[in-house]
PDB file of all heavy atoms in Angstrom:
ATOM      1  N   TYR A 164     138.167 135.954 -40.941  1.00  0.00           N
ATOM      2  CA  TYR A 164     138.442 134.801 -40.096  1.00  0.00           C
ATOM      3  C   TYR A 164     138.606 135.263 -38.656  1.00  0.00           C
ATOM      4  O   TYR A 164     139.550 135.995 -38.372  1.00  0.00           O
ATOM      5  CB  TYR A 164     139.707 134.105 -40.575  1.00  0.00           C
ATOM      6  CG  TYR A 164     140.206 132.944 -39.707  1.00  0.00           C
ATOM      7  CD1 TYR A 164     139.325 131.928 -39.328  1.00  0.00           C
ATOM      8  CD2 TYR A 164     141.505 132.916 -39.320  1.00  0.00           C
ATOM      9  CE1 TYR A 164     139.758 130.913 -38.552  1.00  0.00           C
ATOM     10  CE2 TYR A 164     141.952 131.862 -38.483  1.00  0.00           C
ATOM     11  CZ  TYR A 164     141.096 130.852 -38.136  1.00  0.00           C
ATOM     12  OH  TYR A 164     141.523 129.845 -37.303  1.00  0.00           O
ATOM     13  N   ASP A 165     137.685 134.910 -37.828  1.00  0.00           N
ATOM     14  CA  ASP A 165     137.643 135.336 -36.394  1.00  0.00           C
ATOM     15  C   ASP A 165     137.741 136.849 -36.318  1.00  0.00           C
ATOM     16  O   ASP A 165     138.600 137.412 -35.652  1.00  0.00           O
ATOM     17  CB  ASP A 165     138.800 134.663 -35.646  1.00  0.00           C
ATOM     18  CG  ASP A 165     138.529 133.222 -35.287  1.00  0.00           C
ATOM     19  OD1 ASP A 165     137.419 132.760 -35.622  1.00  0.00           O
ATOM     20  OD2 ASP A 165     139.386 132.578 -34.703  1.00  0.00           O
ATOM     21  N   GLU A 166     136.806 137.513 -36.971  1.00  0.00           N
ATOM     22  CA  GLU A 166     136.784 138.982 -37.038  1.00  0.00           C
ATOM     23  C   GLU A 166     135.511 139.554 -36.403  1.00  0.00           C
ATOM     24  O   GLU A 166     135.089 140.668 -36.727  1.00  0.00           O
ATOM     25  CB  GLU A 166     136.851 139.427 -38.492  1.00  0.00           C
ATOM     26  CG  GLU A 166     138.073 138.995 -39.264  1.00  0.00           C
ATOM     27  CD  GLU A 166     139.350 139.734 -38.858  1.00  0.00           C
ATOM     28  OE1 GLU A 166     139.261 140.585 -37.948  1.00  0.00           O
ATOM     29  OE2 GLU A 166     140.368 139.512 -39.473  1.00  0.00           O
ATOM     30  N   ALA A 167     134.951 138.786 -35.392  1.00  0.00           N
ATOM     31  CA  ALA A 167     133.714 139.291 -34.802  1.00  0.00           C
ATOM     32  C   ALA A 167     133.848 140.639 -34.139  1.00  0.00           C
ATOM     33  O   ALA A 167     132.902 141.410 -34.105  1.00  0.00           O
ATOM     34  CB  ALA A 167     133.245 138.236 -33.773  1.00  0.00           C
ATOM     35  N   ALA A 168     135.042 140.960 -33.645  1.00  0.00           N
ATOM     36  CA  ALA A 168     135.279 142.239 -32.907  1.00  0.00           C
ATOM     37  C   ALA A 168     135.133 143.443 -33.858  1.00  0.00           C
ATOM     38  O   ALA A 168     134.867 144.546 -33.375  1.00  0.00           O
ATOM     39  CB  ALA A 168     136.591 142.212 -32.218  1.00  0.00           C
ATOM     40  N   VAL A 169     135.348 143.283 -35.132  1.00  0.00           N
ATOM     41  CA  VAL A 169     135.407 144.402 -36.042  1.00  0.00           C
ATOM     42  C   VAL A 169     134.468 144.309 -37.254  1.00  0.00           C
ATOM     43  O   VAL A 169     134.190 145.311 -37.886  1.00  0.00           O
ATOM     44  CB  VAL A 169     136.852 144.620 -36.553  1.00  0.00           C
ATOM     45  CG1 VAL A 169     137.777 145.006 -35.398  1.00  0.00           C
ATOM     46  CG2 VAL A 169     137.367 143.369 -37.261  1.00  0.00           C
ATOM     47  N   LEU A 170     133.993 143.132 -37.584  1.00  0.00           N
ATOM     48  CA  LEU A 170     133.244 142.930 -38.810  1.00  0.00           C
ATOM     49  C   LEU A 170     132.012 143.738 -38.910  1.00  0.00           C
ATOM     50  O   LEU A 170     131.630 144.280 -39.936  1.00  0.00           O
ATOM     51  CB  LEU A 170     132.923 141.432 -39.010  1.00  0.00           C
ATOM     52  CG  LEU A 170     132.244 141.081 -40.304  1.00  0.00           C
ATOM     53  CD1 LEU A 170     132.977 141.537 -41.537  1.00  0.00           C
ATOM     54  CD2 LEU A 170     131.958 139.564 -40.364  1.00  0.00           C
ATOM     55  N   GLY A 171     131.240 143.829 -37.754  1.00  0.00           N
ATOM     56  CA  GLY A 171     130.004 144.606 -37.770  1.00  0.00           C
ATOM     57  C   GLY A 171     130.210 146.052 -38.161  1.00  0.00           C
ATOM     58  O   GLY A 171     129.461 146.623 -38.931  1.00  0.00           O
ATOM     59  N   ASP A 172     131.249 146.680 -37.627  1.00  0.00           N
ATOM     60  CA  ASP A 172     131.580 148.064 -37.972  1.00  0.00           C
ATOM     61  C   ASP A 172     131.941 148.245 -39.453  1.00  0.00           C
ATOM     62  O   ASP A 172     131.575 149.208 -40.103  1.00  0.00           O
ATOM     63  CB  ASP A 172     132.723 148.583 -37.126  1.00  0.00           C
ATOM     64  CG  ASP A 172     132.348 148.675 -35.617  1.00  0.00           C
ATOM     65  OD1 ASP A 172     131.143 148.899 -35.331  1.00  0.00           O
ATOM     66  OD2 ASP A 172     133.252 148.484 -34.791  1.00  0.00           O
ATOM     67  N   THR A 173     132.648 147.233 -39.954  1.00  0.00           N
ATOM     68  CA  THR A 173     133.035 147.289 -41.382  1.00  0.00           C
ATOM     69  C   THR A 173     131.824 147.225 -42.257  1.00  0.00           C
ATOM     70  O   THR A 173     131.716 147.956 -43.284  1.00  0.00           O
ATOM     71  CB  THR A 173     133.990 146.132 -41.695  1.00  0.00           C
ATOM     72  OG1 THR A 173     135.180 146.297 -40.918  1.00  0.00           O
ATOM     73  CG2 THR A 173     134.415 146.114 -43.177  1.00  0.00           C
ATOM     74  N   LEU A 174     130.886 146.348 -41.974  1.00  0.00           N
ATOM     75  CA  LEU A 174     129.659 146.233 -42.745  1.00  0.00           C
ATOM     76  C   LEU A 174     128.829 147.513 -42.637  1.00  0.00           C
ATOM     77  O   LEU A 174     128.199 147.914 -43.615  1.00  0.00           O
ATOM     78  CB  LEU A 174     128.862 144.999 -42.298  1.00  0.00           C
ATOM     79  CG  LEU A 174     129.548 143.643 -42.557  1.00  0.00           C
ATOM     80  CD1 LEU A 174     128.697 142.516 -41.967  1.00  0.00           C
ATOM     81  CD2 LEU A 174     129.780 143.435 -44.051  1.00  0.00           C
ATOM     82  N   ASP A 175     128.747 148.082 -41.467  1.00  0.00           N
ATOM     83  CA  ASP A 175     128.021 149.362 -41.317  1.00  0.00           C
ATOM     84  C   ASP A 175     128.586 150.415 -42.230  1.00  0.00           C
ATOM     85  O   ASP A 175     127.861 151.158 -42.902  1.00  0.00           O
ATOM     86  CB  ASP A 175     128.152 149.858 -39.876  1.00  0.00           C
ATOM     87  CG  ASP A 175     127.387 149.028 -38.864  1.00  0.00           C
ATOM     88  OD1 ASP A 175     126.474 148.284 -39.287  1.00  0.00           O
ATOM     89  OD2 ASP A 175     127.701 149.061 -37.696  1.00  0.00           O
ATOM     90  N   ALA A 176     129.931 150.495 -42.307  1.00  0.00           N
ATOM     91  CA  ALA A 176     130.578 151.491 -43.199  1.00  0.00           C
ATOM     92  C   ALA A 176     130.245 151.189 -44.667  1.00  0.00           C
ATOM     93  O   ALA A 176     130.083 152.128 -45.426  1.00  0.00           O
ATOM     94  CB  ALA A 176     132.067 151.489 -42.952  1.00  0.00           C
ATOM     95  N   CYS A 177     130.170 149.945 -45.034  1.00  0.00           N
ATOM     96  CA  CYS A 177     129.793 149.572 -46.440  1.00  0.00           C
ATOM     97  C   CYS A 177     128.386 150.038 -46.713  1.00  0.00           C
ATOM     98  O   CYS A 177     128.089 150.542 -47.815  1.00  0.00           O
ATOM     99  CB  CYS A 177     129.926 148.085 -46.644  1.00  0.00           C
ATOM    100  SG  CYS A 177     131.612 147.445 -46.632  1.00  0.00           S
ATOM    101  N   LEU A 178     127.452 149.908 -45.753  1.00  0.00           N
ATOM    102  CA  LEU A 178     126.093 150.359 -45.967  1.00  0.00           C
ATOM    103  C   LEU A 178     125.938 151.867 -46.013  1.00  0.00           C
ATOM    104  O   LEU A 178     125.001 152.395 -46.567  1.00  0.00           O
ATOM    105  CB  LEU A 178     125.225 149.779 -44.823  1.00  0.00           C
ATOM    106  CG  LEU A 178     125.074 148.271 -44.772  1.00  0.00           C
ATOM    107  CD1 LEU A 178     124.327 147.835 -43.505  1.00  0.00           C
ATOM    108  CD2 LEU A 178     124.359 147.733 -46.042  1.00  0.00           C
ATOM    109  N   ASP A 179     126.912 152.550 -45.442  1.00  0.00           N
ATOM    110  CA  ASP A 179     126.904 154.017 -45.419  1.00  0.00           C
ATOM    111  C   ASP A 179     127.608 154.664 -46.618  1.00  0.00           C
ATOM    112  O   ASP A 179     127.729 155.883 -46.669  1.00  0.00           O
ATOM    113  CB  ASP A 179     127.533 154.544 -44.134  1.00  0.00           C
ATOM    114  CG  ASP A 179     126.612 154.312 -42.903  1.00  0.00           C
ATOM    115  OD1 ASP A 179     125.395 154.152 -43.148  1.00  0.00           O
ATOM    116  OD2 ASP A 179     127.129 154.271 -41.792  1.00  0.00           O
ATOM    117  N   LEU A 180     128.086 153.844 -47.544  1.00  0.00           N
ATOM    118  CA  LEU A 180     128.798 154.428 -48.688  1.00  0.00           C
ATOM    119  C   LEU A 180     127.865 155.272 -49.537  1.00  0.00           C
ATOM    120  O   LEU A 180     126.734 154.936 -49.786  1.00  0.00           O
ATOM    121  CB  LEU A 180     129.369 153.285 -49.578  1.00  0.00           C
ATOM    122  CG  LEU A 180     130.630 152.616 -49.053  1.00  0.00           C
ATOM    123  CD1 LEU A 180     130.933 151.323 -49.812  1.00  0.00           C
ATOM    124  CD2 LEU A 180     131.803 153.510 -49.176  1.00  0.00           C
ATOM    125  N   ASP A 181     128.421 156.405 -50.039  1.00  0.00           N
ATOM    126  CA  ASP A 181     127.650 157.231 -50.986  1.00  0.00           C
ATOM    127  C   ASP A 181     127.826 156.670 -52.365  1.00  0.00           C
ATOM    128  O   ASP A 181     128.595 157.185 -53.185  1.00  0.00           O
ATOM    129  CB  ASP A 181     128.206 158.664 -50.886  1.00  0.00           C
ATOM    130  CG  ASP A 181     127.960 159.321 -49.562  1.00  0.00           C
ATOM    131  OD1 ASP A 181     127.001 158.930 -48.915  1.00  0.00           O
ATOM    132  OD2 ASP A 181     128.748 160.217 -49.206  1.00  0.00           O
TER     133      ASP A 181
END
Side-chain angles (χ1 to χ4, degrees):
Y164 174 50
D165 283 357
E166 301 285 4
V169 293
L170 182 58
D172 294 330
T173 298
L174 294 176
D175 290 339
C177 290
L178 295 173
D179 287 338
L180 282 167
D181 294 333

